[in-house]
């Protein structure tokens, strides 16, 4: 799933300290302090929910806390917005149906 | 848990909220500022606390940083907290219910200032729910907050100053821009021309805009004007974008499609609090009814900045100062004379900035053909996956009020609670009925404002079962 060519790709302009998060069981090294949505996009991973009706993969759309397309289960709590949640050491994240 | 009571609670840490905090403190009020982001600055100054990217904020960077620094000394700052309910009974304090990592809390305040800023107008077309389609504000947020830029060809489509600015910022950050598709109708420039002179002498927006256009030309970004009939193609993610330009259809391959159709006030919290809205044809859109001091139809609740009507960051800063000074007057901290003396320069500046806003509004006025998707299969409600055709079927059946449409179709009932589709659905219904959009109305907002775990709600009986007399808070008329 990592570096899935079907997910839009992003890169970071700066380099700095990093933290480790766990996305669906896979350890990822991500820049400290950025949002979970930005961190997943940097890894070419789907930063979004699975549509409850069609089952289609969504990806962060507005990134300002409005659209809920980046809804995820974060640290075991469902329905959290990845765009508003900064990454932290050991954070776990899973996609969810929403 | 209930926190201390404050004179003034401010929701939103953008220019309006930050400036209000500083002024309120100066007037001797105790205040608290709540923001769902983990840092201050709001959407416009997202990431301003991080070093090294000052160029992204232009000449505003200096005063924005000062605002953040001053606000931090002016009262309590609660970042990373989401407001999920606002309740207000009789003459008691306003209860602002917030959720953060430590669970739910209630902030009590004698006055509430809603400074939640703006949100993007939805731009719906076939394929806009595909991964790889993002709003211009969203892409700019990635750049400002995380220094993250797209890799691979980018197409930008839509209309408005933000789209042009983001195109330039992405290009300067090294992104590969395949095309900038400008959907602004050619007739807009003619209609806005009579407002140009007054705008140019009132502020810097016109001059900044000219500079932006020249910079885009200097960067050799391919621009296509008068673009219509946008379609995003792709299986699992956007792969190309097709559009009409001149007499033919064209297609560009891309990994990211950035869209923008202007901004609207974020009225979600205002509607939850029961503040009445009015139709503003210049946007066009719904804006809260406020007087020149920021007072709303609900006593004790004020709104300032873009959340009260689009004015931009500098306007928001002045409006925040005015609202805080008004709150201090109402609470007896300063006299009316002192208020008028303090805010006279702010009111004068707001008036001048309003003249350049009138020009920008007219220049980038989104035409109905962009606000209403023609293709029946286009998704309108991204959460509940309701299409334009399903809404038109309701209109054909005589359902003409937006809350009825919501109840019947579930449009606006998903996790986002109509934040994205609300105005879009109203535009479609009005167009199908041949009626004015204001007659279709706007979506009611009910608590919780954002999802709250049930165990958190269950532990708070007073929210789970609001007293019956509080029910009026959530009706459209307030």
């Amino acid at each position: 799933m990592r570096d899935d060519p079907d997910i839009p790709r992003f890169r970071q302009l700066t380099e700095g300290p990093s933290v480790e998060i766990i996305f669906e069981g896979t350890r990822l090294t991500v820049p400290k302090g950025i949002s979970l949505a930005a961190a997943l996009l940097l890894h070419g991973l789907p930063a979004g929910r699975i549509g409850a009706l069609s089952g289609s993969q969504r990806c962060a759309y507005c990134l300002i806390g409005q659209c809920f397309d980046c809804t995820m289960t974060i640290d075991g709590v469902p329905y959290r917005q990845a765009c508003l949640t900064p990454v932290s050491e050991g954070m776990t994240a899973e996609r969810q149906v929403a | 848990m209930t926190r201390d009571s404050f004179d003034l609670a401010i929701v939103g840490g953008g220019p309006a909220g930050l400036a209000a905090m500083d002024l309120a403190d100066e007037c001797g009020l105790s205040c608290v500022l709540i923001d769902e982001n983990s840092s201050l600055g709001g959407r416009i100054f997202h990431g301003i606390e991080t070093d090294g990217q000052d160029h992204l904020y232009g000449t505003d960077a200096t005063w924005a940083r000062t605002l953040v620094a001053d606000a931090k000394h002016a009262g309590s700052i609660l970042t990373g907290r989401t407001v999920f309910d606002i309740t207000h009974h009789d003459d008691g304090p306003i209860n602002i219910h917030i959720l953060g990592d430590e669970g739910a809390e209630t902030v009590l305040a004698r006055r509430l200032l809603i400074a939640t800023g703006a949100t993007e107008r939805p731009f719906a077309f076939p394929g806009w729910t595909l991964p790889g389609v993002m709003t211009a504000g969203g892409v700019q947020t990635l750049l400002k907050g995380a220094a993250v830029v797209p890799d691979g060809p980018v197409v930008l489509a839509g209309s408005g100053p933000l789209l042009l600015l983001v195109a330039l910022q992405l290009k300067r950050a090294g992104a590969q821009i395949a095309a900038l598709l400008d959907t602004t109708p050619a007739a807009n420039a003619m209609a806005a021309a009579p407002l140009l002179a007054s705008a140019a002498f009132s502020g810097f927006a016109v001059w900044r805009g000219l500079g932006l256009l020249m910079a885009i030309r200097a960067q050799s970004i391919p621009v296509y004007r008068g673009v219509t009939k946008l379609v995003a193609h792709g299986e699992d993610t956007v792969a190309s974008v097709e559009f009409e330009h001149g007499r033919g259809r064209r297609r560009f391959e891309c990994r990211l499609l950035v869209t923008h159709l202007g901004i609207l006030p974020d009225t979600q919290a205002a509607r939850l609090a029961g503040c009445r809205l009015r139709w503003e044809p210049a946007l066009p859109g719904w804006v809260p009814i406020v007087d020149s001091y920021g007072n709303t139809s609900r006593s004790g609740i004020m709104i300032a900045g873009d959340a009260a009507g689009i004015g931009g960051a500098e306007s928001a800063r002045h409006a925040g100062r005015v609202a805080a000074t008004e709150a201090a007057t109402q609470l007896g901290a300063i006299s009316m004379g002192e208020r008028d003396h303090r805010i006279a320069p702010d009111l004068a500046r707001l008036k001048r900035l309003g003249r350049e806003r009138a020009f920008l509004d007219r220049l980038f006025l989104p035409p109905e053909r962009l606000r209403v998707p023609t293709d029946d299969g286009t998704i309108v409600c991204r959460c509940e996956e309701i299409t334009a055709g399903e809404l038109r079927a309701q209109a054909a059946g005589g359902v003409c009020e937006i809350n009825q449409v919501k109840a019947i179709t579930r449009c606006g009932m998903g996790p986002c609670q109509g934040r994205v589709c609300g105005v879009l659905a109203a535009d479609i219904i009005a167009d199908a009925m041949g009626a004015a959009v204001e007659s279709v109305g706007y979506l009611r907002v009910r608590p919780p404002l954002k999802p709250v775990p049930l165990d958190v709600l269950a532990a708070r009986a007073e929210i789970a079962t609001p007293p019956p007399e509080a029910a009026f808070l959530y009706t459209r008329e307030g």
Side-chain angles (χ1 to χ4, degrees):
Chain A
M1 181 194 341
R2 192 166 176 169
D3 287 346
D4 186 334
D6 286 340
I7 296 298
R9 288 297 310 274
F10 289 82
R11 63 190 167 84
Q12 204 185 27
L13 298 170
T14 53
E15 267 184 51
S18 58
V19 294
E20 251 191 18
I21 63 168
I22 302 154
F23 177 68
E24 297 181 350
T26 307
R27 286 186 175 278
L28 302 173
T29 304
V30 300
K32 191 182 174 183
I34 70 172
S35 69
L36 175 61
L40 294 177
L41 288 171
L42 275 177
H43 280 271
L45 290 168
R49 66 189 171 94
I50 311 286
L53 282 103
S54 61
S56 61
Q57 175 69 56
R58 292 293 178 83
C59 188
Y61 168 70
C62 82
L63 291 138
I64 57 167
Q66 297 279 306
C67 76
F68 282 76
D69 265 359
C70 68
T71 295
M72 287 196 163
T73 299
I74 303 172
D75 287 334
V77 181
Y79 285 99
R80 292 187 65 187
Q81 294 175 282
C83 71
L84 294 178
T85 311
V87 289
S88 58
E89 187 64 43
M91 170 184 273
T92 65
E94 285 103 33
R95 278 176 290 175
Q96 68 168 93
V97 172
Chain B
M1 164 189 163
T2 301
R3 285 193 169 251
D4 295 340
S5 188
F6 295 88
D7 291 324
L8 177 67
I10 300 163
V11 178
L18 292 168
M21 182 92 164
D22 190 33
L23 242 281
D25 176 54
E26 239 181 80
C27 295
L29 301 187
S30 62
C31 37
V32 58
L33 190 150
I34 303 155
D35 196 295
E36 62 182 353
N37 262 286
S38 53
S39 61
L40 292 175
R43 289 169 187 149
I44 186 81
F45 297 125
H46 183 74
I48 191 81
E49 291 187 88
T50 320
D51 286 328
Q53 295 212 93
D54 273 12
H55 59 279
L56 294 176
Y57 310 95
T59 52
D60 294 337
T62 315
W63 66 257
R65 276 178 190 278
T66 308
L67 273 190
V68 170
D70 289 349
K72 282 185 168 171
H73 296 110
S76 302
I77 306 270
L78 300 175
T79 46
R81 264 77 156 203
T82 298
V83 174
F84 66 89
D85 201 4
I86 297 165
T87 51
H88 190 190
H89 306 149
D90 304 324
D91 294 328
I94 300 161
N95 291 237
I96 302 126
H97 308 282
I98 59 175
L99 181 69
D101 283 342
E102 288 84 40
E105 294 174 280
T106 299
V107 169
L108 304 178
R110 297 166 74 192
R111 290 291 180 276
L112 167 64
L113 175 63
I114 296 172
T116 46
T119 180
E120 285 192 58
R121 178 190 293 282
F123 187 8
F125 49 85
W128 74 305
T129 54
L130 281 169
V133 180
M134 285 185 187
T135 65
V139 172
Q140 198 193 37
T141 299
L142 284 174
L143 182 58
K144 285 175 170 175
V148 163
V149 292
D151 216 4
V154 181
V155 171
L156 300 102
S159 176
L162 183 64
L163 190 75
L164 304 176
L165 179 62
V166 170
L168 185 64
Q169 289 179 335
L170 288 182
K171 180 79 179 178
R172 284 182 173 157
Q176 180 195 339
I177 312 268
L180 171 57
L181 312 178
D182 192 342
T183 60
T184 313
N188 277 24
M190 290 292 284
L195 303 165
L196 175 62
S198 153
F201 290 111
S202 298
F204 299 109
V206 171
W207 308 105
R208 280 184 186 180
L210 277 175
L212 194 53
L213 289 172
M214 282 163 64
I216 283 172
R217 180 167 293 198
Q219 291 278 352
S220 308
I221 296 172
V223 181
Y224 295 82
R225 297 194 197 282
V227 164
T228 56
K229 296 185 182 160
L230 203 65
V231 181
H233 295 288
E235 284 294 316
D236 301 318
T237 181
V238 67
S240 68
V241 54
E242 199 183 337
F243 59 98
E244 225 164 84
H245 172 252
R247 282 192 195 151
R249 283 193 79 71
R250 291 198 60 142
R251 195 170 177 138
F252 281 103
E253 296 202 342
C254 63
R255 293 290 294 272
L256 179 72
L257 172 59
V258 183
T259 66
H260 181 68
L261 207 57
I263 57 176
L264 292 168
D266 182 350
T267 60
Q268 211 78 7
R271 280 179 287 155
L272 176 76
C275 302
R276 294 182 68 167
L277 310 188
R278 68 176 174 84
W279 180 254
E280 173 50 67
L283 283 175
W286 293 97
V287 300
I289 297 172
V290 290
D291 65 14
S292 49
Y293 301 107
N295 295 301
T296 68
S297 63
R298 300 275 310 156
S299 91
I301 298 179
M302 314 172 79
I303 308 181
D306 275 5
I310 302 305
E314 197 192 341
S315 274
R317 178 178 58 156
H318 293 291
R321 292 167 55 89
V322 170
T325 316
E326 166 70 2
T329 313
Q330 289 179 13
L331 296 174
I334 61 171
S335 69
M336 282 175 80
E338 196 178 343
R339 175 197 68 188
D340 294 344
H341 176 71
R342 273 176 185 271
I343 66 177
D346 296 298
L347 291 176
R349 187 75 191 130
L350 280 167
K351 201 173 169 187
R352 287 179 76 89
L353 291 169
R355 289 199 284 266
E356 57 179 32
R357 183 54 49 179
F359 170 72
L360 291 176
D361 282 347
R362 189 59 197 88
L363 184 60
F364 294 109
L365 185 80
E368 199 168 78
R369 65 181 153 78
L370 289 174
R371 287 159 45 208
V372 176
T374 46
D375 173 68
D376 271 346
T378 305
I379 287 177
V380 174
C381 175
R382 297 171 67 94
C383 300
E384 297 290 330
E385 300 186 13
I386 311 297
T387 64
E390 286 171 77
L391 294 183
R392 288 191 187 109
Q394 291 303 322
V399 183
C400 57
E401 197 276 325
I402 192 66
N403 290 287
Q404 288 180 333
V405 174
K406 174 184 170 183
I408 295 167
T409 63
R410 293 193 60 81
C411 180
M413 264 191 212
C416 100
Q417 288 289 290
R419 282 175 172 83
V420 178
C421 69
V423 290
L424 179 58
D427 276 339
I428 292 167
I429 296 289
D431 173 65
M433 306 279 301
V437 189
E438 53 267 47
S439 72
V440 175
Y442 51 84
L443 288 176
R444 279 190 284 272
V445 176
R446 291 195 175 84
L449 206 48
K450 285 208 170 174
V452 182
L454 275 174
D455 56 342
V456 173
L457 270 191
R460 301 166 60 79
E462 81 274 18
I463 296 170
T465 51
E469 64 271 21
F472 73 91
L473 275 177
Y474 311 120
T475 62
R476 182 181 156 199
E477 294 306 320

